[in-house]
């Protein structure tokens, strides 16, 4: 874990530096930037390292969301172009810092958002995000992606407190996502896992629960509505195209069949990170204990 902690510290230092840069650049145009993503939700894994920073702009800071997004991208690119690859992403701006003397790269995602209602952000925390690239059924340039990221963080925290092992199953699914470069948002994984836990009485070991969630995804991904806890009018399943949903259904079925054929296959779909292995015995569960290792509750996602 010492290596992980060193990597975390590098990420936190960069995020702090970016936060201070943006605060100096935009001054009273923004509210206080805040941390989000898996780190804030405690669903992070140790196979992918990045941190997120949300920058809430005031309603009158820019006349249009696109101008806000483009300006933040321009400023970050100008400031960090010699230190990092700065790229436009679906709703965020990604900064991948070049490897340091240890070869370690630092990844920070910056999410610009604008308060939905004039002077109401401090009370309602609602933000409007700009969709820079086609995002499932959200078209490029769409300005209808409204959310409340604070509410999203609170939702996963409260649900994880109410149902044991939700976070463990989420982390395993995110390991699969990272390994397969899956076109599925981590946020969607969190919501559909919660839905699966709500759909039945989850019992047994961690494999039994993971299996139940995989079956739920296979059976429901093409029709399910996943309401954003930060915006009741936002269906998070729309971040997937119909083709994506069909592909996920088929993939979940295939995974279940292959693991049913041979338990050893579980190590292929949910591998241990050899660089940062989880050596604690308590990290292994149930009949699949020879292979299934829960990623430790680490800092990233």
């Amino acid at each position: 874990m010492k290596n992980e902690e060193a990597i975390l510290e590098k990420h936190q230092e960069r995020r702090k530096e970016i936060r201070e840069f943006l605060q100096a650049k935009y001054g009273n145009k923004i509210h206080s930037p805040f941390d989000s993503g898996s780190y804030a939700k405690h669903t992070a894994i140790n196979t992918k390292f990045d941190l997120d920073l949300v920058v809430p702009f005031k309603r009158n800071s820019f006349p249009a969301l696109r101008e806000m997004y483009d300006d933040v991208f321009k400023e970050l690119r100008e400031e960090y172009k010699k230190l990092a690859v700065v790229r436009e992403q679906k709703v965020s701006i990604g900064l991948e810092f070049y490897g340091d003397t240890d070869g370690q790269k630092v990844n920070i995602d910056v999410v610009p958002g604008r308060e939905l209602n004039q002077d109401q952000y401090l009370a309602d925390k609602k933000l409007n995000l700009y969709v820079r690239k086609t995002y499932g059924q959200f078209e490029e340039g769409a300005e209808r992606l409204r959310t409340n990221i604070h509410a999203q963080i609170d939702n996963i925290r409260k649900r994880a407190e109410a149902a044991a092992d939700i976070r463990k199953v989420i982390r395993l699914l995110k390991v699969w996502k990272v390994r397969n470069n899956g076109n599925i948002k981590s946020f969607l994984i969190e919501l559909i896992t919660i839905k699966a836990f709500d759909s039945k009485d989850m019992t047994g070991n961690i494999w039994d629960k993971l299996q139940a969630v995989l079956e739920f995804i296979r059976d429901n991904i093409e029709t399910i509505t996943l309401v954003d806890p930060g915006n009741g009018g936002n269906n998070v399943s729309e971040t997937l195209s119909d083709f994506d949903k069909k592909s996920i259904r088929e993939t979940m079925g295939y995974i279940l069949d292959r693991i049913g054929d041979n338990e050893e296959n579980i190590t292929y779909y949910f591998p241990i990170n050899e660089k940062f292995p989880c050596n604690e015995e308590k990290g292994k569960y149930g009949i699949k204990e020879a292979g299934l290792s829960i990623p430790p509750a680490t800092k990233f996602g």
Side-chain angles (χ1 to χ4, degrees):
M1 291 296 290
K2 288 184 178 179
N3 286 339
E4 269 190 67
E5 290 169 357
I7 295 171
L8 172 63
E9 186 174 339
K10 293 177 184 178
H11 280 72
Q12 289 176 322
E13 288 174 356
R14 282 296 188 190
R15 183 171 60 183
K16 179 174 180 288
E17 174 190 321
I18 293 170
R19 186 201 321 271
E20 292 173 349
F21 167 73
L22 293 172
Q23 286 175 315
K25 180 62 63 177
Y26 291 107
N28 60 11
K29 285 187 175 182
I30 61 174
H31 298 286
S32 296
F34 62 93
D35 306 339
S36 70
S38 300
Y39 178 42
K41 299 171 185 173
H42 302 284
T43 58
I45 58 177
N46 68 348
T47 55
K48 179 175 180 288
F49 299 98
D50 61 23
L51 291 180
D52 301 288
L53 179 68
V54 180
V55 186
F57 280 83
K58 295 182 179 178
R59 184 69 179 81
N60 59 1
S61 58
F62 288 95
L65 289 175
R66 177 169 185 170
E67 291 181 38
M68 171 196 72
Y69 183 98
D70 288 348
D71 197 76
V72 176
F73 174 71
K74 181 191 71 174
E75 295 294 347
L76 288 172
R77 184 177 58 182
E78 184 61 28
E79 180 68 14
Y80 291 103
K81 60 185 178 184
K82 294 182 180 178
L83 302 174
V85 175
V86 183
R87 59 179 177 271
E88 296 172 330
Q89 301 179 150
K90 292 175 180 175
V91 296
S92 64
I93 297 163
L95 293 93
E96 181 177 299
F97 289 84
Y98 303 128
D100 59 14
T101 54
D102 297 325
Q104 179 62 50
K105 294 182 178 180
V106 170
N107 293 278
I108 307 293
D109 286 343
V110 175
V111 184
R114 192 179 65 180
E115 67 180 355
L116 185 60
N117 303 301
Q118 183 77 41
D119 300 327
Q120 293 298 308
Y121 170 76
L122 294 179
D124 64 23
K125 306 297 184 187
K126 294 180 179 177
L127 293 173
N128 222 341
L129 308 182
Y130 180 67
V131 180
R132 182 61 185 86
K133 297 181 180 179
T134 300
Y135 196 18
Q137 297 174 38
F138 291 92
E139 297 180 354
E140 179 177 328
E143 299 197 356
R144 64 187 178 96
L145 188 53
R146 300 171 179 174
T147 192
N148 181 328
I149 296 172
H150 288 283
Q152 293 175 1
I153 295 171
D154 288 343
N155 177 61
I156 185 65
R157 283 179 174 166
K158 290 177 181 176
R159 293 296 293 116
E161 290 171 0
D165 295 335
I166 279 185
R167 282 188 176 127
K168 293 174 183 174
V169 172
I170 289 172
R171 290 201 293 269
L172 285 166
L173 288 170
K174 288 173 67 175
V175 167
W176 164 79
K177 164 187 155 71
V178 170
R179 176 180 174 83
N180 293 278
N181 195 25
N183 190 22
I184 180 172
K185 287 182 60 176
S186 294
F187 183 38
L188 191 150
I189 288 175
E190 294 163 3
L191 291 180
I192 202 166
T193 300
I194 290 171
K195 276 271 191 179
F197 271 73
D198 289 343
S199 71
K200 62 184 297 185
D201 183 20
M202 291 282 187
T203 58
N205 57 43
I206 192 64
W207 164 246
D208 294 327
K209 294 172 183 176
L210 175 62
Q211 182 181 30
V213 173
L214 294 175
E215 291 170 347
F216 182 87
I217 295 173
R218 177 196 62 194
D219 297 340
N220 296 280
I221 188 64
E222 291 184 287
T223 57
I224 197 168
T225 296
L226 296 171
V227 177
D228 181 347
N231 175 10
N234 182 22
N235 179 7
V236 178
S237 67
E238 291 184 357
T239 60
L240 293 172
S241 66
D242 290 342
F243 177 83
D244 292 332
K245 293 177 182 178
K246 180 182 178 184
S247 176
I248 291 169
R249 173 180 62 79
E250 293 174 346
T251 298
M252 292 299 147
Y254 186 79
I255 291 174
L256 286 162
D257 288 345
R258 296 290 72 77
I259 295 176
D261 291 340
N262 183 348
E263 292 182 0
E264 296 299 320
N265 286 331
I266 200 166
T267 60
Y268 176 79
Y269 297 108
F270 306 98
I272 298 170
N273 183 348
E274 298 295 342
K275 191 172 182 180
F276 304 110
C278 174
N279 294 321
E280 301 174 23
E281 283 302 310
K282 65 181 180 181
K284 299 183 177 182
Y285 296 82
I287 61 171
K288 307 289 181 183
E289 63 183 1
L292 183 59
S293 177
I294 311 301
T298 184
K299 319 297 183 185
F300 299 92

